[in-house]
Amino acid sequence: MEFQDKVALITGGARGIGRAIAENLARKSAHIVLMDISESVHDTARELEAFGVKTLGITGSVTEETDVKRLFREIESVFGKLDICINNAGININNLTMKTSLKDFQQVLNVNLNGTFLVSRAAMLMMLKKRYGRIINISSIVGIRGNAGQAGYSSAKAGIIGLTKTMAVEVAKKNITVNTVAPGYIATEMTDALDTEVKARYKKYIPMQEFGTLDDVAESVAFLASDKAKYITGQTLVVDGGLLLI
Ligand code: NDP
């Protein structure tokens, strides 16, 4: 019942890490708003009702100001407030920098970074009215250390860390915290599809020798969203099994 009466928005929440974050918060009694570009967001929202909480699924893109405005109008009319905002929607287009088109570079920045900005801006305005809020932005360890073939993605994920720190300072006095979670390799449908030999090679580089689980990310997010983390703001919580240490 940790999040009873709290309302949480998760972008990109139809599947993957976003869905796991939403499910974990719903299990802990938060009402859930999911926004996703995929129509399947409605099915996911319905499935989460099984936790006995109210849910709302909204189709739209975090990159479109009109979609974000519509999202917050809906949140206002259904719940009248927003306590927790998780900016999770993200895409990646892999290519070496030399071969990356400006269009692809900008698209990756647009979803990951501009989307986080647009949704956070609207969330902060709503949170200010109640003088309470938790914003958690999903970055990646590649935003800290870079990664070959991920120019746009690593730039966007590094940008999220800078944006987080700036927003954190701006709203610190208003009882709103803003933090980043930076996952390493997490076991998802994408990693499941890799063949065993490739998986073993990746795992060898991780000090804990395992991929992280969806729960590892979801519980880190839940901690930062909770009142246990009320004095933590502007920080990056790295969830990577020690990968950044080597
Ligand atoms: P998925 O691709 O599985 O899920 C992302 C969700 O976001 C999808 O439902 C996708 O819709 C949706 N989405 C895409 N673009 C938009 C948009 N413009 N507006 C709203 N929703 C959108 O990703 P993961 O679960 O793997 O990753 C989630 C987050 O975690 C991302 O920010 C990612 O960068 C980050 N991350 C992931 C890691 C991993 O190992 N998986 C490691 C480190 C960070 P659709 O299905 O239609 O594309």
Side-chain angles (χ1 to χ4, degrees):
M1 306 294 267
E2 192 173 3
F3 294 103
Q4 196 166 26
D5 299 326
K6 295 279 192 278
V7 180
L9 163 67
I10 301 96
T11 67
R15 67 186 177 111
I17 291 175
R19 186 200 161 110
I21 292 169
E23 197 172 314
N24 192 37
L25 292 175
R27 190 177 297 118
K28 299 177 197 297
S29 301
H31 301 303
I32 301 293
V33 183
L34 301 177
M35 195 238 205
D36 202 290
I37 203 157
S38 165
E39 286 289 337
S40 65
V41 70
H42 300 293
D43 295 335
T44 308
R46 261 192 305 276
E47 284 160 25
L48 295 186
E49 284 173 2
F51 293 98
V53 296
K54 275 195 220 158
T55 72
L56 179 64
I58 306 275
T59 320
S61 174
V62 292
T63 62
E64 297 299 324
E65 243 180 318
T66 49
D67 288 356
V68 174
K69 280 193 179 136
R70 176 168 50 83
L71 165 70
F72 278 84
R73 272 200 308 272
E74 281 282 312
I75 295 174
E76 181 67 51
S77 90
V78 176
F79 295 105
K81 66 164 186 169
L82 181 69
D83 301 293
I84 299 163
C85 173
I86 319 291
N87 286 296
N88 163 82
I91 60 161
N92 184 17
I93 303 172
N94 279 343
N95 214 340
L96 291 175
T97 307
M98 284 181 288
K99 296 181 175 173
T100 299
S101 67
L102 179 60
K103 184 169 162 277
D104 283 355
F105 187 80
Q106 284 175 332
Q107 195 187 337
V108 173
L109 280 175
N110 203 18
V111 177
N112 291 279
L113 184 58
N114 297 5
T116 299
F117 158 72
L118 280 178
V119 174
S120 298
R121 188 177 64 178
M124 285 192 294
L125 284 167
M126 191 174 266
M127 289 168 172
L128 276 175
K129 291 188 200 154
K130 304 278 179 195
R131 286 192 155 252
Y132 181 90
R134 300 274 182 269
I135 299 175
I136 296 135
N137 301 319
I138 307 301
S139 176
S140 161
I141 55 164
V142 311
I144 298 169
R145 49 155 269 192
N147 200 20
Q150 299 193 321
Y153 189 69
S154 60
S155 303
K157 294 303 192 186
I160 285 175
I161 294 171
L163 176 65
T164 297
K165 290 178 181 173
T166 294
M167 295 192 298
V169 174
E170 289 176 357
V171 293
K173 268 197 283 192
K174 312 288 185 187
N175 198 25
I176 300 171
T177 65
V178 191
N179 288 290
T180 300
V181 169
Y185 286 112
I186 303 301
T188 57
E189 284 166 32
M190 200 174 65
T191 47
D192 286 350
L194 297 171
D195 66 50
T196 319
E197 201 189 306
V198 176
K199 272 194 248 185
R201 196 158 8 106
Y202 281 5
K203 285 180 187 175
K204 232 173 61 191
Y205 291 111
I206 305 171
M208 287 191 179
Q209 309 266 293
E210 270 304 336
F211 294 139
T213 64
L214 293 174
D215 265 359
D216 290 327
V217 180
E219 287 293 356
S220 305
V221 169
F223 166 67
L224 290 171
S226 76
D227 285 337
K228 292 175 203 146
K230 68 180 171 42
Y231 202 56
I232 300 174
T233 198
Q235 301 305 303
T236 302
L237 180 52
V238 175
V239 184
D240 72 343
L243 189 55
L244 271 191
L245 300 173
I246 53 167

